[in-house]
Amino acid sequence: MTQNTEDSEAERNRRHAEERKAVKAERDVMMQSKTQTGGLLLIHTGAGKGKSTAGFGMAARALGWGQRVGIVQYIKGKWITGERRFFARFPDQVRMEIMGEGFTWDTQDRARDVAAAQAAWEKSLEMIADPELDFVLLDELNVALRYDYLDLDKIVAALKNRPRDKHICITGRDAKPELMELAELVTEMRMVKHPFQQGIKAQRGVDF
Amino acid sequence: MTQNTEDSEAERNRRHAEERKAVKAERDVMMQSKTQTGGLLLIHTGAGKGKSTAGFGMAARALGWGQRVGIVQYIKGKWITGERRFFARFPDQVRMEIMGEGFTWDTQDRARDVAAAQAAWEKSLEMIADPELDFVLLDELNVALRYDYLDLDKIVAALKNRPRDKHICITGRDAKPELMELAELVTEMRMVKHPFQQGIKAQRGVDF
């Protein structure tokens, strides 16, 4: 494998121009057939693996088309994850917000958790409204809703009134029926077989 | 959003060294507790969306850890996809093989399809054996098996004897029971609601 084949500045500019042109062409088509295309609301739910991972795959795909991506992670989880390290490489294409440290899911301090979830939702609203972004991933928002850290009615209302030129993907188990009703695409990731069942530990690259 | 914040050469080298160090530390841990970790065989199957996309998300996550990734796409599909454009940006970390043009799934020329599938499998075997690669994605291999373009027994035997320091992810609907039996992790992507049902066209970033 070659050691360093990063693109030259000129090549990068050329590619950037080409990609923006492709995005514009795509948008023109979208505008011509409004009833057929437009921003989709997608939900990845279920107890199986791959919900967030498919969201990150969508982000990678969007970046490939020169699109711009916003990501809000509603779960504390591991502080350093492969996806955070990876998407941090593209500051000109990706805006990423990690929810406050206080959010732990164990409700030892519910008021702090609610405040953290609320702050993350404010960031989400900004991204949904931002015309610069083509795709917004609200990672594990379903879990914040499941714990009633956010007001479902408000979230449903905001998503109903979202700008229609943007795709939004919401992940997390136990998606609320009201959100699934609103979504154009719902996939349930169903666990058929899981390595934890076999005593295998979580691993870099696979699990985080 | 900033216009161009690509890293300097020195920063890139520093990051690279740091990532390789992290990968080495991870491997050392893996070697210390063989029964607990080690390369996993993962399968994403089912009729829902997100099978390949989660595979690409895993690839992005692995890249975030400085790991090296091999991808074989067993389906012709769209010639230019977001994921191909995206992963082509990382020639020092990603090796990507797209199966021969002949492979169309419509069996107008079965002999040619079988030959193309066979060539893709040979590439897959090379990647599985390559100690440089940490993660190998065999995208839509299940479909080639479903059409009996490849000999299942041979594939099962090769996967059984795979090097144990590498993760392999196989995607595609209708995964063979023999493969699921072999895998440590199987997720079924179940379609709950799909935009095609509502007359919405496939779109850049979401579908390809």
Side-chain angles (χ1 to χ4, degrees), chain A:
Chain A
M1 232 168 273
T2 50
Q3 265 314 297
N4 194 336
T5 41
E6 290 275 337
D7 298 332
S8 70
E9 181 73 22
E11 168 58 18
R12 214 153 54 213
N13 290 340
R14 191 199 56 71
R15 197 177 58 207
H16 180 79
E18 184 193 277
E19 286 177 346
R20 294 316 295 180
K21 205 172 138 188
V23 170
K24 194 191 167 303
E26 177 71 12
R27 281 204 170 136
D28 290 347
V29 169
M30 197 185 279
M31 287 300 118
Q32 280 165 22
S33 56
K34 265 187 208 163
T35 57
Q36 290 295 307
T37 58
L40 301 181
L41 178 64
L42 305 96
I43 295 181
H44 299 164
T45 192
K49 272 179 72 69
K51 300 182 289 293
S52 297
T53 316
F56 291 116
M58 285 188 67
R61 190 177 272 159
L63 296 181
W65 285 116
Q67 297 179 352
R68 292 194 167 99
V69 170
I71 301 174
V72 179
Q73 288 200 292
Y74 276 79
I75 199 165
K76 186 187 163 187
K78 301 262 175 193
W79 273 107
I80 298 177
T81 60
E83 61 266 20
R84 286 179 206 165
R85 290 169 64 101
F86 186 65
F87 288 112
R89 288 193 198 169
F90 315 100
D92 54 335
Q93 276 188 280
V94 180
R95 240 175 74 193
M96 195 158 188
E97 300 281 350
I98 316 292
M99 210 164 76
E101 204 171 346
F103 206 72
T104 55
W105 308 119
D106 57 12
T107 66
Q108 290 180 358
D109 186 344
R110 187 177 161 83
R112 196 173 65 169
D113 287 358
V114 168
Q118 189 57 42
W121 173 246
E122 294 299 329
K123 292 288 179 194
S124 308
L125 276 179
E126 274 175 36
M127 287 188 187
I128 291 169
D130 184 348
E132 282 266 291
L133 298 177
D134 303 281
F135 172 62
V136 176
L137 174 62
L138 305 178
D139 187 38
E140 305 286 6
L141 170 58
N142 288 337
V143 182
L145 287 167
R146 175 196 185 192
Y147 283 80
D148 293 322
Y149 288 165
L150 294 168
D151 178 1
L152 178 61
D153 291 343
K154 266 193 203 166
I155 273 105
V156 166
L159 290 171
K160 260 191 190 150
N161 296 316
R162 73 190 189 273
R164 294 290 158 166
D165 59 349
K166 180 175 281 123
H167 303 301
I168 299 173
C169 179
I170 296 174
T171 76
R173 54 175 76 193
D174 301 314
K176 295 281 181 185
E178 293 86 343
L179 281 193
M180 294 202 274
E181 175 63 32
L182 205 59
E184 280 84 19
L185 184 144
V186 179
T187 306
E188 180 201 346
M189 273 63 169
R190 200 171 70 80
M191 190 204 299
V192 178
K193 201 178 189 184
H194 196 286
F196 295 161
Q197 297 167 330
Q198 297 152 61
I200 299 168
K201 285 191 286 196
Q203 289 174 75
R204 269 194 185 165
V206 176
D207 296 292
F208 58 90

Side-chain angles (χ1 to χ4, degrees), chain B residues 49-207:
Chain B
K49 273 181 72 69
K51 301 181 289 294
S52 297
T53 315
F56 291 117
M58 286 188 66
R61 189 175 274 161
L63 295 181
W65 286 116
Q67 298 180 351
R68 292 193 168 98
V69 170
I71 300 173
V72 180
Q73 287 200 293
Y74 277 79
I75 199 166
K76 187 186 162 186
K78 300 265 175 191
W79 273 107
I80 299 177
T81 60
E83 61 267 20
R84 287 178 206 165
R85 290 170 63 101
F86 186 65
F87 288 111
R89 288 193 197 170
F90 315 99
D92 54 334
Q93 276 188 281
V94 180
R95 241 175 74 192
M96 196 159 187
E97 299 281 350
I98 316 292
M99 210 164 74
E101 203 170 349
F103 206 73
T104 54
W105 310 118
D106 58 11
T107 65
Q108 290 181 358
D109 186 344
R110 189 177 159 83
R112 195 174 65 169
D113 287 357
V114 169
Q118 189 56 44
W121 174 246
E122 294 299 328
K123 291 287 180 195
S124 308
L125 275 180
E126 276 174 36
M127 288 188 186
I128 291 169
D130 184 349
E132 282 268 291
L133 298 177
D134 303 281
F135 172 62
V136 176
L137 174 62
L138 305 179
D139 186 39
E140 304 287 6
L141 170 59
N142 288 337
V143 182
L145 287 166
R146 175 195 183 191
Y147 283 80
D148 293 323
Y149 288 165
L150 293 169
D151 178 0
L152 178 61
D153 291 343
K154 266 194 204 166
I155 273 103
V156 167
L159 290 171
K160 258 190 192 152
N161 296 316
R162 72 189 189 273
R164 293 290 158 164
D165 58 350
K166 181 175 280 125
H167 302 300
I168 300 173
C169 178
I170 296 174
T171 76
R173 54 174 77 193
D174 301 314
K176 295 282 181 184
E178 293 87 343
L179 281 193
M180 294 201 276
E181 175 63 32
L182 204 59
E184 280 85 18
L185 185 144
V186 179
T187 306
E188 180 201 347
M189 274 65 169
R190 200 172 70 81
M191 190 204 299
V192 178
K193 202 175 188 185
H194 195 287
F196 295 161
Q197 296 167 330
Q198 298 151 61
I200 299 168
K201 285 190 287 194
Q203 290 174 73
R204 270 193 186 164
V206 177
D207 296 293

Side-chain angles (χ1 to χ4, degrees), chain B residues 15-79:
Chain B
R15 196 178 58 208
H16 180 79
E18 183 193 278
E19 287 176 347
R20 293 316 293 177
K21 206 173 138 190
V23 170
K24 194 190 167 303
E26 176 72 11
R27 280 205 171 135
D28 289 347
V29 170
M30 196 186 280
M31 287 300 119
Q32 279 164 22
S33 57
K34 265 187 207 162
T35 58
Q36 289 295 308
T37 58
L40 301 181
L41 179 64
L42 305 97
I43 296 182
H44 300 165
T45 192
K49 273 181 72 69
K51 301 181 289 294
S52 297
T53 315
F56 291 117
M58 286 188 66
R61 189 175 274 161
L63 295 181
W65 286 116
Q67 298 180 351
R68 292 193 168 98
V69 170
I71 300 173
V72 180
Q73 287 200 293
Y74 277 79
I75 199 166
K76 187 186 162 186
K78 300 265 175 191
W79 273 107

